[in-house]
Amino acid sequence: MNNPWKDINLSDYESHMALDSVRQLQAMNQMMQGQLNKYDIKSVMILGIAGGNGLEHVDATKITKVYGVDINAEYLATTKERYKMLSGILECLCVDLNSETEKLPQANLLIANLLIEYIGYECFQKVVKIVNPQYVSCVIQINTDESFVSDSPYLHAFDGLKCFHHQMEEQELQNSMERIGYQLIQTLEYSLPNGKKLVQLDFGK
């Protein structure tokens, strides 16, 4: 089965995420600023980078390498075009995390925002073990209803995701990370206007 993220238009995705009734694009940008600047690291890998939201917060005087990973090559092309100022630092990698984890390099910090939902805990464990970061920062979405995609004019662009989506639980993510040697450092919560919330969990080894 073809991964639906290969077929979702970036404009539809970003327009949906930025709606006042959703505001996830704005929240994720703020969270990325904190993720990129909290730890003393030289390299970072961002899984599911899409259009590069938050890359403007990379401090090039401290971070010398950014790996942007996504399954959609068009997303990555847009990211490279948007963030030309990170030329020589940003390297975009088109990788299917379900089947091509061996292509991933190592990095000091691994960021996975709204990504584990689409690969599951076990696959994420494999990714972490290969990247071997000192720190892992994840953002998961906690839903207050049965719908993991908020209602919007762009809703049907995401219909194909239903069969790929895994409902996330904070404790289960923490348990899965502990099983591979990572301990919870901090938890942050961000409320969204539609009753959902984003939860950031940071781990260290």
Side-chain angles (χ1 to χ4, degrees):
M1 182 183 294
N2 191 40
N3 192 301
W5 281 110
K6 292 182 178 181
D7 301 318
I8 296 173
N9 184 281
L10 182 61
S11 177
D12 287 346
Y13 171 68
E14 292 183 333
S15 296
H16 166 80
M17 295 282 279
L19 287 170
D20 283 341
S21 59
V22 180
R23 294 195 65 80
Q24 287 194 15
L25 200 73
Q26 299 89 330
M28 297 293 289
N29 188 284
Q30 179 183 347
M31 296 169 90
M32 183 80 82
Q33 182 175 17
Q35 289 172 308
L36 288 169
N37 291 284
K38 180 174 178 61
Y39 302 107
D40 183 18
I41 51 101
K42 295 291 186 184
S43 60
V44 57
M45 180 181 294
I46 303 168
L47 303 178
I49 197 167
N53 181 35
L55 282 178
E56 67 269 24
H57 302 304
V58 171
D59 183 348
T61 66
K62 297 179 180 178
I63 297 176
T64 58
K65 192 69 179 182
V66 177
Y67 297 105
V69 178
D70 209 285
I71 196 171
N72 190 311
E74 293 182 6
Y75 291 3
L76 295 174
T78 299
T79 295
K80 284 193 286 188
E81 181 65 25
R82 286 177 174 175
Y83 296 94
K84 290 179 178 177
M85 76 289 287
L86 294 177
S87 177
I89 296 175
L90 175 63
E91 181 177 344
C92 291
L93 304 172
C94 190
V95 175
D96 184 340
L97 297 176
N98 288 295
S99 60
E100 300 176 318
T101 51
E102 73 281 353
K103 293 183 178 180
L104 298 173
Q106 295 191 343
N108 303 143
L109 168 65
L110 180 65
I111 294 176
N113 294 341
L114 302 185
L115 181 283
I116 308 171
E117 286 90 332
Y118 299 104
I119 63 173
Y121 301 117
E122 186 176 342
C123 180
F124 187 59
Q125 286 177 318
K126 292 179 183 177
V127 170
V128 173
K129 285 191 282 188
I130 286 176
V131 178
N132 193 31
Q134 182 67 35
Y135 304 102
V136 179
S137 185
C138 315
V139 174
I140 61 173
Q141 178 176 295
I142 304 299
N143 303 312
T144 52
D145 53 33
E146 294 299 315
S147 174
F148 65 93
V149 178
S150 300
D151 188 29
S152 86
Y154 307 96
L155 182 63
H156 292 296
F158 307 98
D159 285 348
L161 296 177
K162 294 175 183 176
C163 60
F164 277 78
H165 184 266
H166 306 256
Q167 183 58 50
M168 291 287 100
E169 299 290 342
E170 294 176 56
Q171 189 60 54
E172 184 54 37
L173 177 56
Q174 183 176 341
N175 292 345
S176 70
M177 291 297 290
E178 287 179 351
R179 285 195 289 271
I180 58 172
Y182 286 83
Q183 303 300 317
L184 185 67
I185 296 173
Q186 71 166 359
T187 302
L188 301 171
E189 292 189 1
Y190 294 77
S191 297
L192 299 172
N194 52 19
K196 302 179 188 298
K197 67 177 180 179
L198 299 178
V199 178
Q200 178 182 329
L201 297 101
D202 287 6
F203 301 90
K205 69 172 184 177

